[in-house]
Amino acid sequence: MKQLKTELVSQKEIAASIYEAVVFHKEIDESFQPGQFVHVKTGFGSDPLLRRPISICHVEPSKHELTMIYRAEGKGTKVLAEMVPGVEVDLLGPLGNGFPVEKTMEGETALLVGGGIGVPPLYYLSQELTKRGVNVKHVHGFQTSSVVFYEEKFKAYGPVTITTADGTYGEEGFVTNQLDMNADYLFACGPSPMLKALENYQAKKGVYLSLEQRMGCGIGACLACVCHVQGDETGFAYRKVCSDGPVFQAGEVVL
Amino acid sequence: MKQLKTELVSQKEIAASIYEAVVFHKEIDESFQPGQFVHVKTGFGSDPLLRRPISICHVEPSKHELTMIYRAEGKGTKVLAEMVPGVEVDLLGPLGNGFPVEKTMEGETALLVGGGIGVPPLYYLSQELTKRGVNVKHVHGFQTSSVVFYEEKFKAYGPVTITTADGTYGEEGFVTNQLDMNADYLFACGPSPMLKALENYQAKKGVYLSLEQRMGCGIGACLACVCHVQGDETGFAYRKVCSDGPVFQAGEVVL
Amino acid sequence: MSRLRVELPGLDLKNPIMPASGCFGFGREYSQFYSLDQLGAIMVKATTHEPRFGNPTPRVAETTSGMLNAIGLQNPGLERVMVEELPWLSKFDVPIIANVAGSTIEDYVTVAEEISTAENVHALELNISCPNVKEGGLAFGTVPETAYEVTKAVKEVSSVPVYVKLSPNVTDIVQMAKVVERAGADGLTMINTLLGMRIDLKTGKPILANGAGGLSGPAIKPVAIRMIHQVSQQVNIPIIGMGGVQSAEDVIEYFLAGASAVAVGTANFVDPFTCPTIIDALPALLDELGVHHISELTGRSWKTEWNLQSSSH
Amino acid sequence: MSRLRVELPGLDLKNPIMPASGCFGFGREYSQFYSLDQLGAIMVKATTHEPRFGNPTPRVAETTSGMLNAIGLQNPGLERVMVEELPWLSKFDVPIIANVAGSTIEDYVTVAEEISTAENVHALELNISCPNVKEGGLAFGTVPETAYEVTKAVKEVSSVPVYVKLSPNVTDIVQMAKVVERAGADGLTMINTLLGMRIDLKTGKPILANGAGGLSGPAIKPVAIRMIHQVSQQVNIPIIGMGGVQSAEDVIEYFLAGASAVAVGTANFVDPFTCPTIIDALPALLDELGVHHISELTGRSWKTEWNLQSSSH
Ligand SMILES: Cc1cc2nc3c(=O)[nH]c(=O)nc-3n(C[C@H](O)[C@H](O)[C@H](O)COP(=O)(O)OP(=O)(O)OC[C@H]3O[C@@H](n4cnc5c(N)ncnc54)[C@H](O)[C@@H]3O)c2cc1C
Ligand SMILES: Cc1cc2nc3c(=O)[nH]c(=O)nc-3n(C[C@H](O)[C@H](O)[C@H](O)COP(=O)(O)OP(=O)(O)OC[C@H]3O[C@@H](n4cnc5c(N)ncnc54)[C@H](O)[C@@H]3O)c2cc1C
Ligand SMILES: Cc1cc2nc3c(=O)[nH]c(=O)nc-3n(C[C@H](O)[C@H](O)[C@H](O)COP(=O)(O)O)c2cc1C
Ligand SMILES: Cc1cc2nc3c(=O)[nH]c(=O)nc-3n(C[C@H](O)[C@H](O)[C@H](O)COP(=O)(O)O)c2cc1C
Ligand code: FES
Ligand code: FES
């Protein structure tokens, strides 16, 4: 976990309001793991004030480059989208605990389920799983055709099913209708209703969900991002999404 | 008076922390007069919030270009200095009443006295006076040699005496020690102590001083920038620096 | 445009957007940018009985996403406002809300009585919350008893409905609101500025000649939203909200909190076209939110019926 | 570095910069960025008698140049703070200011009595101004009588000096300050957050699950400066100032207003190195201002002797 004043190498709109930004810093290396995130300062003054949590979509350790994919929707991400190559992008990272890639073994199967801007971290995950010889399948849900991204890129690692809520691309409906029920692992990232729907998926070896929560510090100090622990009777047990998560095993925390 | 979303054509540091910025907008034309100013939005969000008043240093009506020279010192001007050619610079202008160029006549003499960042508006003034056949002399005071600018440019219109407070360039001391006492007109812009010292200069035809004041709206609506009227017994008479000024005849308002 | 039309005591507004008092003078300057006919109403600069010069300069200072002002109620006095400013404004088809200030209750009464007779003045805004004058001003707005008295006295003489402008510099804004409602106020306008200060590092002294001043701009919006959210649940008179409004989205936030109309202050200085830009943007934003008429939004953040409705979506 | 050294009741600070309570946990996280030895002191997260989970999420929302929080005093409770957190912090050479909170006076007394015995706790900060808990919290900080009582009760049991943290959500901050001074407070810390709210346009409801929350960050700095300017002229106990501090310049502004030390809250989230960066920048800034020792700046904005001195320059 470091503060890195990275350089914006490139930035492009890869789908409607969805941007892919690549940053460079010599300390970007293999310590950045799939499912971890970076906390990004957008703009220069005090408006917007807080950093924005963005998942690590990909890291090229040899080039010291990190890719993020984000939707420019609110104030901060819109400012980020306006930043041009060459400018400094201040980020904290790598933050949190990612997907447990190290638990997986060659020949196992993993189902990766992403919803909207929950899809990006699965890309890096898919690559790392593939490297270990895990067989990967993807199911990605989007609102509509114009916001679909990275389909081809994911195909390099395994089959990809796309769903759109309005049926304008791929299968109509939600990811939950397209799940292969035989995977050893399920790894998912997306909006909270999607995660809730996946919580009871019976994967043989484990279901891991990446959560979202509004954050202050992003490093575990401010207690903005806590969630309750499942089965805790005292009511006081908690996990911090930023530093204990964002990835939790299904059943660990209350969604 | 219009809101113009101009394009920043060029920007360079011409002396220590002194920037020359040129902006383009097709509505920049001869209606922009020497001594008037523009009210400039710096940066994009709400921080900094208020516009910054900057004098018109020069206008090229044929090219629809306006030049400003400013010192990057506080928050807003520092943000402005970071803006790169191609970006939009939102300004209101032309604002206020400038120097009464139209009163001058061929063959008359004018002494132009500038202090620090009060020098820029005199450049456009000097050009316009010269066009009318007025004989122009310049006395410009600066803190120190590193912040002296535009000496050669002013020389194109008439002799230039430079003073520096620390004696590192030109004459040591203040502009007030270098005044030719025979001019028909004295036109001055600079810090308030300098203007006070010049208030009683006996020019045959008139002394005109350009004032500075902290502003809110810049157009006469908020009453942030008022000054008292000399000799007013009621105490209620006032002038607004932004819309009645910034140029006043010596003796009109209380400095 | 009828989806923006709002009716409030004394005010039939073609839209609920108006410049806030003190940030628009008497309209002359901004009329150089656009026709004032577009505005829902205009809250003109505070008027006192006698002319006032106000405070020494500097009168404004910038803060992070805000500004401080200590104008000190400079104005030409009741007579000139009646003879010069209001008649000039009458050429526009826009109701005027006259901001009334004073140092004593008699001052308020005198101004209110006369100014409320001006043809285009459709409502008064009682400024009992100006932080920038020594006597009166803020004191009226922070002491419930005086707030009550001045409101009641003005109500008795005013020919038009009276809105009372609340100060945020109080421990209990709900109490103040209830007190002025009880005194007969027809509506509330809130919030006036928060008391603030900036100090110049070089001189070591406050930037404003007056020392402290009133903080306005986007920085204070969350305080205004909170207060309107609280007050609108406890009173039965409408609220015109203000504080940091810059966009149509901000306006919607104020309505959701409990406002029935919204005023724009500091933002006029930042972008002179703020009011017409907001007015133009509102219909599309209402579409996006699936709302037909803007008034449907008032108080939705706390209205439980709406909670039930929306949860069935 | 002796030009930054500051002595306050119970506190011998190598510099006057410390993280503000609730914005730095118990130091563990930020110790990954830099050694906590560098800090003047640490104001740790509020401790209550029993553990608390706090409020439901979302607990934070961004505002223009500020943020709202409604954490709700989540903390592991007195016992674990005594056994785990404070001992962990004792490996650093830095005095701890323990932030004490509760729902009843007894709660405060219990926590204060015990926590003040911890070896590295050099002072208490009495949090009578938390806007985010239903009972106690803000109520203690807005009613003079209760503020008096809780301060007095805690003073009686505390083994270390007691600083009282004032709420800005009051009509008369000077009165509150005087009351707690009279009750025996050794110092003041101010300000806690302003009450604010943001509403989500899409849901129509407040962003924070709690509804309202505490506004912090640069947006509130002018309010804090104004209050410290007022209070420091009326009390004889020192003030640790806070609210929107981001830079060494901000720190100087607080000193000029009347603070004797300064705490950094929200800025830690924006830049984790804010405290050490400020500490490093201060000496050069003092040089620029021609000041030898930072304490010389306390209250200069209102000290008349300094007016006279400086005018002879
Ligand atoms: C661990 C984690 C990883 C994420 N990864 C990605 C990603 O790879 N790509 C992507 O597009 N988005 C991602 N998000 C969501 C992203 O953080 C928000 O969309 C973003 O913060 C919204 O900022 P804004 O400026 O667009 O909106 P604004 O409305 O201006 O945001 C205001 C405040 O609310 C917070 N906020 C608003 N929406 C969210 C949200 N959904 N989750 C958390 N905070 C929010 C912002 O961080 C900010 O503090 C991730 C969130 C988390 C927690
Ligand atoms: C009519 C007029 C013409 C001017 N022309 C020029 C020019 O051509 N070149 C130039 O460099 N400067 C000029 N100035 C001064 C310039 O406006 C200030 O230096 C600038 O506003 C400071 O902004 P900042 O962001 O650097 O400082 P900040 O400290 O961030 O400013 C904070 C606030 O104070 C105001 N302020 C601070 N100093 C001054 C000042 N000296 N005068 C007025 N407002 C101030 C700012 O406008 C802003 O609202 C002019 C001022 C006026 C009134
Ligand atoms: C320069 C200035 C002058 C003001 N003058 C008045 C006034 O005369 N009467 C009044 O009731 N409010 C006055 N106000 C307060 C505004 O009407 C408004 O309540 C406040 O600024 C908050 O809104 P904003 O954040 O949109 O500016 C003034 C505000 C500013 C900035
Ligand atoms: C997330 C968060 C949690 C806070 N928790 C506490 C707390 O536990 N006790 C307390 O006295 N103040 C608490 N505060 C208030 C801060 O200590 C500080 O007074 C306030 O945030 C203003 O300073 P700032 O603008 O630098 O953040 C908290 C503030 C924030 C932002
Ligand atoms: S965001 Fe601060 S603890 Fe998680
Ligand atoms: S700056 Fe507003 S009247 Fe001059």
Side-chain angles (χ1 to χ4, degrees):
Chain A
M1 169 164 93
K2 288 175 184 147
Q3 181 179 28
L4 303 178
K5 312 250 170 163
T6 69
E7 183 190 328
L8 184 59
V9 174
S10 71
Q11 162 130 282
K12 59 171 188 271
E13 193 174 356
I14 57 172
S17 297
I18 308 285
Y19 290 78
E20 178 198 64
V22 180
V23 297
F24 164 87
H25 191 285
K26 59 181 188 322
E27 294 181 49
I28 291 173
D29 57 24
E30 37 290 291
S31 69
F32 288 69
Q33 293 290 315
Q36 290 186 301
F37 69 99
V38 290
H39 215 193
V40 186
K41 176 95 183 87
T42 66
F44 303 99
S46 293
D47 175 34
L49 184 68
L50 298 173
R51 290 170 182 269
R52 300 301 194 257
I54 308 278
S55 300
I56 298 169
C57 169
H58 193 236
V59 166
E60 288 238 28
S62 62
K63 294 169 87 175
H64 302 297
E65 286 182 353
L66 180 152
T67 304
M68 312 177 252
I69 292 181
Y70 64 93
R71 179 165 62 213
E73 199 181 13
K75 197 193 254 186
T77 50
K78 277 186 184 151
V79 167
L80 187 57
E82 276 168 23
M83 293 172 90
V84 292
V87 304
E88 181 183 291
V89 179
D90 174 351
L91 50 85
L92 304 182
L95 300 181
N97 293 299
F99 293 103
V101 176
E102 66 295 344
K103 289 209 174 136
T104 63
M105 293 196 302
E106 195 174 334
E108 290 182 331
T109 55
L111 184 58
L112 274 53
V113 184
I117 51 161
V119 168
L122 303 179
Y123 181 62
Y124 191 23
L125 175 65
S126 194
Q127 175 192 306
E128 294 300 295
L129 291 173
T130 304
K131 270 197 200 158
R132 293 174 71 92
V134 176
N135 296 312
V136 179
K137 285 189 189 171
H138 314 90
V139 183
H140 295 165
F142 297 94
Q143 256 340 94
T144 185
S145 63
S146 63
V147 295
V148 175
F149 60 90
Y150 262 41
E151 183 181 8
E152 290 307 313
K153 290 221 164 204
F154 274 98
K155 278 192 182 154
Y157 302 123
V160 179
T161 306
I162 304 278
T163 68
T164 51
D166 63 1
T168 48
Y169 193 89
E171 308 294 324
E172 177 162 352
F174 299 106
V175 289
T176 36
N177 305 328
Q178 307 294 333
L179 301 182
D180 166 350
M181 291 300 178
N182 292 309
D184 293 316
Y185 289 95
L186 182 135
F187 299 115
C189 183
S192 152
M194 180 189 107
L195 299 183
K196 279 191 187 136
L198 295 172
E199 198 176 9
N200 297 316
Y201 179 91
Q202 300 296 329
K204 297 182 199 104
K205 310 239 163 128
V207 172
Y208 292 87
L209 310 173
S210 181
L211 271 59
E212 265 189 20
Q213 189 52 266
R214 291 193 181 235
M215 294 185 177
C217 66
I219 63 168
C222 75
L223 302 180
C225 65
V226 299
C227 46
H228 283 282
V229 172
Q230 284 198 17
D232 162 51
E233 315 244 294
T234 69
F236 301 126
Y238 65 91
R239 297 288 182 275
K240 301 180 240 185
V241 171
C242 69
S243 54
D244 297 319
V247 176
F248 295 97
Q249 184 153 20
E252 182 177 358
V253 298
V254 180
L255 293 182
Chain B
M1 170 164 92
K2 286 175 184 148
Q3 180 178 26
L4 303 179
K5 312 250 171 166
T6 69
E7 182 190 329
L8 184 59
V9 174
S10 71
Q11 162 129 283
K12 59 170 186 271
E13 192 173 356
I14 57 172
S17 296
I18 308 284
Y19 289 79
E20 178 197 63
V22 180
V23 298
F24 165 88
H25 191 284
K26 58 182 190 320
E27 294 181 49
I28 292 174
D29 56 24
E30 38 290 291
S31 69
F32 288 69
Q33 293 290 314
Q36 289 187 301
F37 69 100
V38 290
H39 215 193
V40 186
K41 176 94 183 88
T42 67
F44 303 100
S46 294
D47 174 34
L49 184 68
L50 298 174
R51 290 170 181 269
R52 302 297 193 258
I54 308 278
S55 300
I56 297 168
C57 169
H58 193 236
V59 166
E60 288 237 28
S62 60
K63 295 168 84 175
H64 303 298
E65 286 183 353
L66 180 153
T67 303
M68 312 177 250
I69 291 181
Y70 64 93
R71 180 164 61 214
E73 199 183 12
K75 197 192 253 185
T77 50
K78 276 186 184 150
V79 167
L80 187 57
E82 276 168 21
M83 293 172 89
V84 293
V87 304
E88 180 183 291
V89 179
D90 174 351
L91 50 86
L92 305 181
L95 301 181
N97 294 299
F99 294 102
V101 177
E102 65 296 344
K103 290 211 175 133
T104 62
M105 293 196 301
E106 196 174 334
E108 289 181 332
T109 56
L111 183 58
L112 274 53
V113 184
I117 50 161
V119 168
L122 302 179
Y123 181 62
Y124 191 22
L125 175 65
S126 193
Q127 175 192 304
E128 295 299 297
L129 291 173
T130 304
K131 271 195 200 158
R132 293 173 72 92
V134 176
N135 296 312
V136 180
K137 284 189 188 168
H138 313 90
V139 184
H140 296 165
F142 297 95
Q143 255 341 94
T144 186
S145 63
S146 64
V147 295
V148 175
F149 59 88
Y150 263 39
E151 183 180 9
E152 291 307 313
K153 290 220 165 205
F154 275 98
K155 277 191 182 154
Y157 303 123
V160 179
T161 305
I162 305 278
T163 69
T164 51
D166 64 0
T168 49
Y169 193 89
E171 309 293 323
E172 176 163 352
F174 299 107
V175 290
T176 38
N177 304 328
Q178 307 294 333
L179 302 182
D180 166 349
M181 292 300 179
N182 293 311
D184 293 317
Y185 288 96
L186 183 135
F187 299 116
C189 183
S192 153
M194 182 190 105
L195 299 182
K196 280 189 187 138
L198 294 172
E199 197 175 10
N200 297 316
Y201 179 92
Q202 300 294 333
K204 298 182 197 102
K205 311 241 162 123
V207 173
Y208 292 88
L209 309 173
S210 180
L211 271 57
E212 264 189 18
Q213 189 51 265
R214 290 194 181 235
M215 295 183 175
C217 65
I219 62 168
C222 75
L223 302 181
C225 67
V226 299
C227 46
H228 282 284
V229 172
Q230 283 198 17
D232 162 51
E233 315 244 295
T234 69
F236 301 126
Y238 65 91
R239 296 288 181 277
K240 300 181 242 187
V241 171
C242 69
S243 53
D244 298 318
V247 177
F248 295 97
Q249 183 153 20
E252 181 176 359
V253 297
V254 180
L255 294 181
Chain C
M1 290 293 268
S2 72
R3 43 198 309 213
L4 296 183
R5 184 174 194 140
V6 167
E7 303 233 15
L8 300 178
L11 301 166
D12 180 359
L13 309 174
K14 48 185 162 304
N15 64 65
I17 308 303
M18 60 194 84
S21 178
C23 301
F24 207 75
F26 289 90
R28 290 180 197 268
E29 295 77 18
Y30 288 93
S31 74
Q32 296 170 272
F33 288 102
Y34 58 86
S35 164
L36 305 184
D37 289 332
Q38 298 176 56
L39 298 169
I42 299 176
M43 295 170 136
V44 293
K45 177 74 190 158
T47 300
T48 53
H49 188 188
E50 302 296 335
R52 261 182 198 256
F53 182 80
N55 291 320
T57 57
R59 291 177 170 187
V60 294
E62 193 181 58
T63 71
T64 307
S65 294
M67 68 175 280
L68 295 167
N69 89 79
I71 306 296
L73 296 184
Q74 176 162 21
N75 79 93
L78 178 60
E79 195 183 316
R80 273 188 49 203
V81 169
M82 291 298 290
V83 178
E84 290 174 23
E85 305 298 344
L86 293 174
W88 181 84
L89 275 164
S90 69
K91 69 181 172 209
F92 299 101
D93 173 30
V94 59
I96 304 301
I97 302 175
N99 189 276
V100 173
S103 313
T104 62
I105 295 194
E106 293 69 48
D107 281 355
Y108 281 98
V109 167
T110 311
V111 177
E113 182 159 19
E114 186 166 344
I115 211 167
S116 66
T117 63
E119 210 198 333
N120 51 345
V121 169
H122 293 216
L124 301 187
E125 181 182 38
L126 217 55
N127 181 356
I128 58 165
S129 46
C130 179
N132 295 323
V133 288
K134 291 263 139 36
E135 354 67 52
L138 191 54
F140 283 104
T142 55
V143 182
E145 292 73 21
T146 32
Y148 180 88
E149 276 180 54
V150 68
T151 305
K152 199 162 157 46
V154 164
K155 264 305 282 182
E156 274 164 19
V157 299
S158 175
S159 321
V160 295
V162 176
Y163 291 69
V164 178
K165 186 157 185 176
L166 299 185
S167 165
N169 302 292
V170 296
T171 309
D172 189 349
I173 190 80
V174 171
Q175 181 198 21
M176 294 302 300
K178 285 184 167 169
V179 161
V180 301
E181 180 179 38
R182 209 159 0 98
D186 300 284
L188 300 171
T189 67
M190 55 192 289
I191 57 174
N192 209 318
T193 52
L194 281 164
L195 263 173
M197 180 183 281
R198 276 214 58 189
I199 298 174
D200 188 320
L201 261 51
K202 284 198 204 119
T203 64
K205 301 290 158 191
I207 293 181
L208 299 180
N210 191 47
L215 180 64
S216 63
I220 70 167
K221 199 186 76 177
V223 175
I225 293 285
R226 183 265 297 183
M227 289 185 162
I228 292 169
H229 183 264
Q230 287 181 300
V231 168
S232 61
Q233 297 178 59
Q234 303 285 331
V235 298
N236 294 307
I237 49 180
I239 297 173
I240 303 178
M242 62 198 73
V245 174
Q246 289 188 304
S247 66
E249 283 77 12
D250 291 339
V251 169
I252 301 294
E253 199 174 341
Y254 269 88
F255 270 77
L256 292 168
S260 298
V262 168
V264 176
T266 303
N268 292 296
F269 308 157
V270 180
D271 179 350
F273 290 98
T274 306
C275 288
T277 304
I278 288 176
I279 295 165
D280 287 351
L282 277 173
L285 188 51
L286 291 182
D287 285 343
E288 224 177 273
L289 297 170
V291 173
H292 178 65
H293 196 285
I294 191 161
S295 297
E296 297 166 31
L297 292 170
T298 299
R300 268 212 187 166
S301 63
W302 50 262
K303 279 188 181 148
T304 47
E305 344 54 298
W306 194 74
N307 251 331
L308 295 174
Q309 268 184 27
S310 70
S311 65
S312 69
H313 277 209
Chain D
M1 290 295 266
S2 72
R3 39 199 311 213
L4 296 183
R5 184 172 194 141
V6 168
E7 302 234 14
L8 300 177
L11 301 166
D12 179 0
L13 309 173
K14 47 185 164 305
N15 65 65
I17 307 303
M18 60 194 84
S21 179
C23 302
F24 207 75
F26 290 89
R28 290 179 197 269
E29 294 77 17
Y30 287 93
S31 74
Q32 297 170 270
F33 288 102
Y34 58 87
S35 164
L36 306 184
D37 289 332
Q38 297 175 57
L39 298 168
I42 298 175
M43 296 170 135
V44 293
K45 177 74 190 158
T47 300
T48 54
H49 187 189
E50 302 296 335
R52 259 183 200 255
F53 182 80
N55 292 320
T57 57
R59 291 177 170 187
V60 295
E62 195 181 56
T63 70
T64 308
S65 294
M67 68 176 280
L68 295 167
N69 88 80
I71 306 296
L73 297 183
Q74 175 161 20
N75 78 93
L78 179 60
E79 195 183 317
R80 273 187 51 202
V81 170
M82 292 298 289
V83 178
E84 289 173 21
E85 305 299 344
L86 293 173
W88 182 84
L89 275 164
S90 68
K91 68 182 172 207
F92 299 101
D93 173 29
V94 59
I96 304 302
I97 302 175
N99 189 275
V100 173
S103 313
T104 61
I105 295 195
E106 294 67 49
D107 281 354
Y108 281 98
V109 167
T110 311
V111 177
E113 182 159 20
E114 186 165 344
I115 212 167
S116 67
T117 63
E119 211 198 331
N120 53 344
V121 169
H122 292 216
L124 302 186
E125 181 181 38
L126 217 55
N127 181 357
I128 58 165
S129 46
C130 180
N132 296 324
V133 287
K134 291 264 140 35
E135 354 68 51
L138 191 54
F140 284 104
T142 54
V143 181
E145 292 73 21
T146 32
Y148 180 88
E149 274 180 55
V150 68
T151 305
K152 197 158 159 40
V154 165
K155 264 305 281 182
E156 272 164 22
V157 299
S158 174
S159 321
V160 295
V162 175
Y163 292 70
V164 178
K165 186 157 187 176
L166 299 184
S167 166
N169 302 294
V170 296
T171 309
D172 188 347
I173 189 80
V174 171
Q175 181 198 21
M176 294 301 300
K178 284 184 168 169
V179 161
V180 300
E181 179 180 38
R182 206 158 3 97
D186 300 284
L188 301 171
T189 67
M190 54 193 288
I191 56 173
N192 210 320
T193 52
L194 282 164
L195 263 173
M197 181 183 281
R198 277 214 57 189
I199 298 174
D200 187 320
L201 262 51
K202 285 198 204 120
T203 64
K205 300 290 159 190
I207 293 182
L208 298 179
N210 192 48
L215 180 64
S216 62
I220 70 167
K221 200 187 74 177
V223 175
I225 293 286
R226 183 265 297 182
M227 289 187 162
I228 292 170
H229 183 264
Q230 287 181 300
V231 168
S232 61
Q233 297 178 59
Q234 303 286 331
V235 298
N236 295 307
I237 48 179
I239 298 172
I240 303 177
M242 62 197 73
V245 173
Q246 289 187 305
S247 66
E249 283 76 13
D250 291 339
V251 169
I252 302 293
E253 198 173 342
Y254 269 87
F255 270 77
L256 292 168
S260 297
V262 167
V264 176
T266 304
N268 292 296
F269 308 157
V270 180
D271 179 350
F273 289 98
T274 306
C275 287
T277 303
I278 288 177
I279 295 165
D280 288 351
L282 277 173
L285 187 51
L286 292 181
D287 286 343
E288 223 178 273
L289 298 170
V291 173
H292 178 66
H293 196 284
I294 191 161
S295 296
E296 297 166 32
L297 294 170
T298 299
R300 269 210 186 165
S301 63
W302 50 263
K303 279 189 182 148
T304 48
E305 348 48 303
W306 194 74
N307 253 332
L308 296 174
Q309 268 186 26
S310 69
S311 64
S312 71
H313 277 210

